[in-house]
Amino acid sequence: PPPMECIFGLVGDGFTLLVADASARRSVFLYKQDEDKIFPIDEHKAMAVTGEPGDTTLFAELIQKNLALCTLRVGVPRSPHATAHFTRAIMAENLRRSPYFVNLLLAGHDKDEGPSLYYLDYLASLQKLNFAAHGYGAFFILSLFDRYYRPGMSLPEAIKVRTNPAISSLLC
């Protein structure tokens, strides 16, 4: 079967794992198979995006550049919590005039809070979760996470969940 467009992430013991497929598609048309959907924000944060192809890149770069500007002005990078709320504020502000049809997962690590994963959809609803998914394969992946995820899992255990044949078939 062809790969489904989806992103997912999970929080483990001292890390957050983000995974994204590499396809750009609309309906039954596959435009490209090397799309990078994970955007680094700084050395401790990254976001995975899915949605309308133009909106995803535009919104991700808007957040990247604005956060870099904030870091230059203040001299201190924002925490993952502050970054998630900043991203939500930008999305909510644009919701009624020129909405971005973007769903994203924001992963980060803070020395005080530890690893974190934030779920943000195109309607600007934000939630901190232990595991999350967006896209066509999200319901299927979430059912597998219900079965295999456990809090505090190690990196090898998380990679084993990621390499589960059912999940791999969605991404390849």
Side-chain angles (χ1 to χ4, degrees):
M4 296 178 151
E5 184 174 16
C6 71
I7 58 174
F8 65 88
L10 61 89
V11 176
D13 185 24
F15 68 92
T16 305
L17 179 69
L18 272 182
V19 178
D21 73 311
S23 66
R25 60 178 60 235
R26 182 157 181 93
S27 182
V28 296
F29 298 106
L30 177 63
Y31 297 126
K32 58 190 284 196
Q33 292 180 311
D34 61 349
E35 182 77 13
D36 192 8
K37 296 181 182 179
I38 299 178
F39 292 83
I41 295 171
D42 61 28
E43 57 272 353
H44 298 290
K45 293 181 289 296
M47 69 177 148
V49 296
T50 187
E52 293 294 323
D55 284 356
T56 55
T57 304
L58 181 69
F59 187 75
E61 289 179 354
L62 171 76
I63 297 301
Q64 269 182 327
K65 304 312 179 206
N66 275 298
L67 287 170
L69 179 62
C70 289
T71 301
L72 286 172
R73 284 182 177 166
V74 177
V76 178
R78 291 178 182 236
S79 69
H81 180 79
T83 300
H85 285 277
F86 173 81
T87 305
R88 184 206 172 276
I90 297 290
M91 192 167 293
E93 182 181 310
N94 288 292
L95 189 59
R96 294 183 194 229
R97 54 184 174 159
S98 174
Y100 294 103
F101 294 103
V102 177
N103 298 308
L104 66 91
L105 298 175
L106 178 77
H109 190 279
D110 189 37
K111 63 182 176 215
D112 298 328
E113 298 174 23
S116 56
L117 178 68
Y118 291 89
Y119 171 99
L120 181 66
D121 70 4
Y122 73 100
L123 295 173
S125 65
L126 177 68
Q127 187 66 41
K128 184 177 180 182
L129 300 169
N130 286 330
F131 61 85
H134 278 297
Y136 293 119
F139 291 120
F140 185 66
I141 287 174
L142 289 173
S143 69
L144 290 171
F145 280 171
D146 283 339
R147 169 78 171 97
Y148 295 112
Y149 177 81
R150 63 175 184 73
M153 56 192 321
S154 67
L155 185 57
E157 291 171 326
I159 291 172
K160 185 176 179 184
V161 170
R162 161 40 196 111
T163 57
N164 180 310
I167 292 176
S168 294
S169 68
L170 295 174
L171 302 173
C172 297

